[in-house]
């Protein structure tokens, strides 16, 4: 099981805070540091000192880390034009030496669009499909050739399709709970399918849909990575679990029901249940970014038991 650290900076984090978490992620042996792509805090969080841009953050981290993979869960398709996004991600991949992964979604949080003057169009899934075709098509175009695309929402004409990423192929992540269109998009474009904040039963059901869609698309279902994103709250004892749950404004029982919470042994058992339904990678949603001791505990007492 590959454990990755997943942060939600819109809830309140500076670049320096994110850098400290990313460096701890690397030093403690986790596989990757990922972040959300939002411009407005959610719930009771004040969001101070204010939002940080996902790809500017990752560009900085690309130069200040050496080993870990870096990426988004998920870049909002509403925030960036597809050609611009392809350029940004390719450049950050070059800056990292080939360690970038792109999670791309349709965008859903209307309030943040209103707050920063970003259009929130209808038919976002249709736009996402065109964005995926453009971004992956630009990267796949051979040097010296040009790329053209004529869709309903986007048109690309005579593009030199530059720059190229450092990797031969940047991994693309697609995720979500949709029963039909989401599996079809994953089957066509994704290297990894991510199921966010879902039960074991719902994950098993959705993984099955994606596998079936992959077969229909002529792909081997095993060619995709299947992963989950889950909130994490681990403690050496009940008191420490309760303290960490309180720090993020959550109830211990709710966290145990819907995430990875409890003692290291409890969390290892819970991870095993997700692995049993096909998940081979977990994005641990770390909500208290100042608690680096939490990361150390997960590394030494959870990750160490997973092999």
């Amino acid at each position: 099981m590959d454990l990755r650290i997943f942060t939600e900076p819109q809830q309140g984090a500076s670049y320096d805070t994110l850098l400290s978490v990313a460096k701890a992620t690397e030093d403690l042996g986790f596989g990757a540091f990922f972040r959300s792509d939002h411009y407005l805090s959610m719930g009771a969080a004040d969001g101070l000192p204010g939002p940080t841009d996902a790809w500017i953050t990752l560009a900085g981290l690309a130069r200040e880390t050496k080993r870990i993979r870096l990426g988004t869960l998920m870049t909002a398709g509403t925030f960036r034009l597809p050609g611009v996004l392809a350029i940004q991600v390719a450049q950050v991949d070059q800056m990292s030496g080939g360690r970038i992964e792109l999670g791309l979604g349709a965008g859903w949080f209307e309030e943040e669009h209103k707050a920063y003057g970003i259009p929130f169009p209808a038919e976002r899934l249709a736009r996402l499909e065109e964005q995926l075709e453009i971004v992956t098509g630009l990267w796949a175009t051979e040097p010296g050739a040009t790329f053209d695309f004529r869709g309903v929402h986007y048109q690309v004409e005579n593009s030199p399709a530059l720059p190229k990423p450092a990797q031969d192929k940047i991994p693309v992540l697609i995720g979500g709970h949709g029963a039909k269109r989401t599996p079809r998009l994953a089957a066509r474009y994704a290297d990894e399918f991510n199921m966010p904040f879902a039960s074991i039963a719902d994950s098993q059901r959705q993984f099955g849909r994606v596998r079936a869609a992959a077969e229909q698309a002529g792909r081997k279902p095993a060619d995709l990575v299947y992963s989950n994103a889950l909130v994490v709250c681990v403690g050496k004892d009940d008191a420490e679990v309760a303290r960490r749950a309180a720090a993020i404004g959550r109830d211990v029982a709710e966290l145990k029901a819907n995430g990875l919470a409890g003692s290291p042994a409890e969390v290892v058992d819970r991870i095993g249940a997700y692995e049993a339904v096909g998940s081979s990678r977990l994005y641990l949603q770390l909500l208290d970014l100042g608690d680096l001791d939490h990361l150390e505990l997960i590394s030494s007492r959870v990750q160490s038991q997973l092999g």
Side-chain angles (χ1 to χ4, degrees), residues 73-262:
L73 281 181
M74 301 284 186
T75 289
T78 48
F79 289 177
R80 296 165 179 87
L81 296 171
V84 174
L85 180 62
I87 291 169
Q88 290 172 323
V89 178
Q91 183 178 5
V92 179
D93 193 53
Q94 292 173 358
M95 293 167 69
S96 74
R99 294 183 285 123
I100 293 299
E101 303 185 12
L102 171 64
L104 185 58
W108 61 271
F109 189 20
E110 186 173 4
E111 287 81 359
E112 69 186 336
H113 294 74
K114 292 178 179 177
Y116 287 97
I118 303 168
F120 189 69
E123 299 183 353
R124 289 183 302 283
L125 277 173
R127 289 173 178 270
L128 173 63
E129 184 163 8
E130 292 190 13
Q131 289 168 327
L132 285 162
E133 186 163 351
I134 293 167
V135 170
T136 57
L138 287 168
W139 290 340
T141 300
E142 292 293 328
T146 58
F147 177 81
D148 293 271
F149 176 83
R150 192 157 211 70
V152 174
H153 303 287
Y154 302 102
Q155 293 80 42
V156 179
E157 183 176 341
N158 200 33
S159 173
L162 297 172
K164 298 302 183 192
Q167 299 175 85
D168 290 337
K169 187 180 191 308
I170 291 179
V172 172
L173 292 74
I174 294 173
H177 296 254
K180 295 181 179 179
R181 200 165 193 173
T182 297
R184 180 176 64 78
L185 289 179
R188 182 172 179 185
Y189 295 105
D191 300 282
E192 177 177 338
F193 178 78
N194 180 263
M195 190 62 168
F197 311 112
S199 69
I200 293 164
D202 287 346
S203 298
Q204 183 176 29
R205 188 176 303 111
Q206 188 71 333
F207 290 162
R209 292 177 181 136
V210 174
R211 289 190 181 97
E215 287 183 340
Q216 291 172 3
R219 293 183 67 182
K220 295 179 181 178
D223 288 346
L224 281 82
V225 173
Y226 299 87
S227 65
N228 288 87
L230 294 162
V231 63
V232 65
C233 181
V234 187
K236 294 188 291 290
D237 51 37
D238 289 345
E240 191 166 85
V241 174
R243 174 176 65 78
R244 288 199 163 111
I248 60 174
R250 301 282 285 270
D251 176 75
V252 171
E254 179 268 322
L255 285 169
K256 287 187 176 184
N258 298 310
L260 300 173

Side-chain angles (χ1 to χ4, degrees), residues 36-49:
S36 60
D37 188 21
H38 288 293
Y39 292 138
L40 198 66
S41 62
M42 303 171 196
D46 59 23
L48 295 175

